[in-house]
Amino acid sequence: MRRIDEQRIKQHADVRFRSEYDYALFEYYRSAKVFAFLEKANFQVSGHVLDAGCGGGGMPLSFADEARFVVGIDLVNRFGAAGVTLSKERQIGNLDFVQADGQRLPFADASFDWVFSHAVIEHVADAQRYLHECARVLKPGGAMYLSTAPYLSFHGAHLPRLKIPVPLHLLIGRRAAFATFRTLARHAEWTLRERADENSFIKIARANGRKHDDLLELVRIRRLRSQVAAAGFSIAVEDLYLTGTFRKLPGPIARWLRDSPLTQDIVIGHVQYALKKAV
């Protein structure tokens, strides 16, 4: 199993918003947690791999250590100053980057053995079409790693946090909460827990006040399961990760909150899947 270096992950997490290059390095080291999850689920990354939303390109760099060939795509060329530079620095030859839309993948059917989608689907306008495209380019029996977060959770809301932990997005709704945080980031940053260099929302809103909501798919666990099945995948492993506050509760209560449709979208801060495409 690839070693998870928590110290190095934290080191790069602290500076990840300085540039795409820094964020790509953070993603490279954090990817060890993805491999740990897959290895525990008895999945091995190999063959031809597609990262269907690679951002700066840190994850594909890591996949290239394991696979025959890796392609990272993103809707905008975030990887040009990060992943491309890092791959040249590290002399990685089995990796390519392509600017492309995950909802219209420019690849033939059954081109890949693996598809990775890490924290992407919540930013896709048509999540069902995106999943169908991921399934289309996978070979029969191929595998997909999918991770995201329910939009009602603190983490999945993709909003800053107040110093006083009030779930503003639950109390006044997402649209009003987004507008409120945009104003606070620009005019009253002292009310927020993070600094601008720790949160891209604050950094962008403070710079120009025109931060737009890029959360396009409002992820709900039950709906996500249905979307995965409709795309032709079966769920081999599902990992529902409770946020810190709820993990501290007694076991039976924590499990009920995690599994109940009434509460799971609020208390689950991260969900990851190992999916299989039918043979």
Side-chain angles (χ1 to χ4, degrees):
M1 180 180 293
R2 187 179 299 189
R3 187 171 69 90
I4 298 173
D5 189 336
E6 294 288 1
Q7 183 176 355
R8 183 162 281 185
I9 292 171
K10 184 181 184 309
Q11 171 191 341
H12 288 283
D14 289 343
V15 297
R16 68 189 185 277
F17 292 118
R18 290 192 312 192
S19 67
E20 288 289 2
Y21 184 92
D22 288 293
Y23 203 93
L25 278 173
F26 164 63
E27 290 282 83
Y28 176 84
Y29 290 109
R30 186 173 66 168
S31 68
K33 295 186 177 183
V34 174
F35 283 102
F37 166 74
L38 292 173
E39 289 174 9
K40 187 176 180 180
N42 295 317
F43 281 78
Q44 183 175 358
V45 178
S46 61
H48 287 77
V49 172
L50 171 67
D51 187 331
C54 67
M59 287 279 186
L61 285 166
S62 185
F63 304 149
D65 292 339
E66 312 291 334
R68 185 179 307 158
F69 196 82
V70 179
V71 177
I73 68 112
D74 206 88
L75 190 59
V76 295
N77 184 4
R78 295 174 54 192
F79 47 77
V84 172
T85 300
L86 280 165
S87 64
K88 289 179 179 178
E89 289 176 356
R90 298 179 181 222
Q91 299 182 323
I92 297 174
N94 61 331
L95 170 62
D96 194 15
F97 292 101
V98 178
Q99 188 170 344
D101 186 348
Q103 299 166 100
R104 299 174 184 83
L105 291 171
F107 308 111
D109 296 356
S111 297
F112 296 95
D113 302 284
W114 271 93
V115 173
F116 281 81
S117 175
H118 175 68
V120 175
I121 197 168
E122 63 266 31
H123 303 298
V124 174
D126 189 338
Q128 191 66 74
R129 182 170 183 172
Y130 172 78
L131 287 169
H132 273 291
E133 279 291 277
C134 290
R136 179 184 66 78
V137 301
L138 262 180
K139 296 176 182 177
M144 179 174 181
Y145 171 83
L146 173 66
S147 72
T148 185
Y151 85 104
L152 292 175
S153 69
F154 268 121
H155 180 73
H158 288 263
L159 295 170
R161 299 194 190 190
L162 295 167
K163 286 185 176 177
I164 301 173
V166 177
L168 207 59
H169 63 293
L170 296 178
L171 297 177
I172 63 176
R174 175 163 188 85
R175 181 175 297 182
F178 189 91
T180 299
F181 279 116
R182 186 167 54 191
T183 300
L184 293 175
R186 190 160 174 79
H187 301 292
E189 190 179 332
W190 58 269
T191 64
L192 305 175
R193 186 184 304 181
E194 303 100 337
R195 302 188 309 271
D197 61 352
E198 298 173 332
N199 187 291
S200 59
F201 183 110
I202 301 171
K203 184 177 181 179
I204 295 170
R206 190 177 70 171
N208 57 33
R210 295 193 297 271
K211 167 67 177 172
H212 299 293
D213 194 351
D214 61 358
L215 204 66
L216 304 179
E217 170 67 17
L218 302 182
V219 173
R220 305 290 293 266
I221 297 297
R222 294 181 74 183
R223 182 169 66 232
L224 182 59
R225 290 170 180 157
S226 297
Q227 291 168 329
V228 163
F233 289 106
S234 61
I235 298 175
V237 181
E238 178 185 64
D239 181 27
L240 305 176
Y241 190 76
L242 287 171
T243 56
T245 300
F246 298 104
R247 287 201 310 274
K248 298 173 184 177
L249 296 173
I253 297 174
R255 285 191 294 273
W256 184 87
L257 290 171
R258 181 196 65 194
D259 297 334
S260 171
L262 297 174
T263 56
Q264 62 184 184
D265 293 314
I266 298 171
V267 303
I268 293 170
H270 179 251
V271 56
Q272 55 185 345
Y273 293 95
L275 307 175
K276 290 287 289 184
K277 181 181 175 180
V279 177

